[in-house]
Amino acid sequence: MHTPTLSAAAALAVALAACSDDSGSPTSDGPMSPAPVALGSRHLAPGRVETILPLTGLTDMPEGIAVNDQGDIFVGNRRLVGEQRIGEVLRITPDNRVSVFATLGRSAPDYNAGLAGLAVDATGDLYAAFISHDPATHGVWRIGRRGGMARLPGSEAMLLPDGLAFDAGGNLYVSDAGQGSLWRFPPAGRGARWLQHPLLAPGARGIGANGVAFVPPATLYVAVTEQNHIVRIPIRTDGRPGTASVAAAGDPLQIIDGLAADVHGDLYAAIVGFTIVGTSPLVRVDLRTGALTPVTGELGRFDWPTSLAFGRGPRDHKSLYVVNSGIFPEGRPDAAPGVVRVGVGMAGAPNH
């Protein structure tokens, strides 16, 4: 619903103010909290939407999603317990069983704390950005597909680790929303800040570089939330960043968050505050022309969508799986926090 009395900046301020995990090292097990996953249809026509995993309003605030080559969906959740949120990664298997795959600890209930982005590498290990501001847990974590967890060296120095994406060489790029920068973590060794640039900078609310997507053969795209645009960054042959430029901008990208790339190199963007600023929850971005197109007219199941990933393995490759944080359902019972699936008629680009 469009709210003309709020500017995009004011809407962001209201939303962020409304929007979180036990100190100590993460663990790989935890109690099951979400409701059982709903069975989805085999294929969805472009623009059609269905709920895959409903979570609990007020208690759950998910963000971050990744799908591995076996079709497991990983979802980051920030589950409210008392005055803190427990950061846990949920796994939805292809036969629609739901379990807690890993627990990363506790954080404050703030909008800029707790689990953020997720990504899967070429071997099937999962990576999670965790904002706790606790020296023991803050940073980016590798969660082994067969167990075991380790923090990536250097990531503890990031301010607000957020979006994640791998390139073709196995390097992991992580946005720092608070610094307006990108960090690069090689397959082995210590990570470091790769690029800090005015086009990635935050505004008054402190949220700059956010969602990240890699488009083969060698380009990164970054959604910049408070600047309402997408930045293109070539990766040079020596591994250094090329010249950053604006790939797309405009009103449909107001309060942008996650990104995903399709097989043709176009992007899909999650617009978190779409009900407030009167835009679409998902926008397709033609990177050749900069044209922005709404992905669906079925808006009733979306509320504060943050992250998205294409289906893989046995799942429909022409569907996007989208995380709803569920912060402002506005009396819409179908817009609960959780995961919805959207038909887009296009397969995703390789993960790495």
Side-chain angles (χ1 to χ4, degrees), residues 138-139 152-161 176 179 183 190 193:
H138 183 86
L152 301 190
S155 67
E156 69 280 358
M158 300 183 72
L159 181 58
L160 296 177
D176 189 321
Q179 294 178 339
W183 287 56
R190 189 176 186 85
R193 187 182 295 115

Side-chain angles (χ1 to χ4, degrees), residues 265-327:
D266 289 331
L267 295 180
Y268 294 78
I271 310 300
V272 290
F274 79 98
T275 58
I276 298 173
V277 298
T279 58
S280 174
L282 294 177
V283 175
R284 179 178 174 271
V285 184
D286 185 327
L287 292 173
R288 292 166 292 280
T289 65
L292 306 170
T293 307
V295 172
T296 180
E298 297 185 19
L299 310 184
R301 295 182 187 271
F302 293 96
D303 178 48
W304 212 251
T306 56
S307 312
L308 61 171
F310 277 90
R312 300 187 183 279
R315 298 189 183 276
D316 182 5
H317 290 201
K318 296 184 178 181
S319 286
L320 278 168
Y321 293 83
V322 184
V323 174
N324 274 330
S325 284
I327 296 171

Side-chain angles (χ1 to χ4, degrees), residues 35-42 44 49-55 65 73 75 92-93 96-98 301 315 319-322 324 334 336-342:
V37 65
L39 293 175
S41 56
R42 182 169 178 81
L44 279 183
V49 181
E50 66 180 10
T51 298
I52 295 300
L53 176 66
L55 295 174
I65 189 167
I73 301 174
V75 181
I92 309 171
T93 60
N96 296 306
R97 291 178 297 162
V98 186
R301 295 182 187 271
R315 298 189 183 276
S319 286
L320 278 168
Y321 293 83
V322 184
N324 274 330
D334 289 335
V339 181
V340 296
R341 176 182 169 214
V342 185

Side-chain angles (χ1 to χ4, degrees), residues 81-105:
V81 177
E83 296 183 354
Q84 294 183 305
R85 289 190 182 271
I86 296 177
E88 55 190 19
V89 179
L90 309 179
R91 176 169 60 181
I92 309 171
T93 60
D95 61 357
N96 296 306
R97 291 178 297 162
V98 186
S99 62
V100 175
F101 180 69
T103 302
L104 280 83

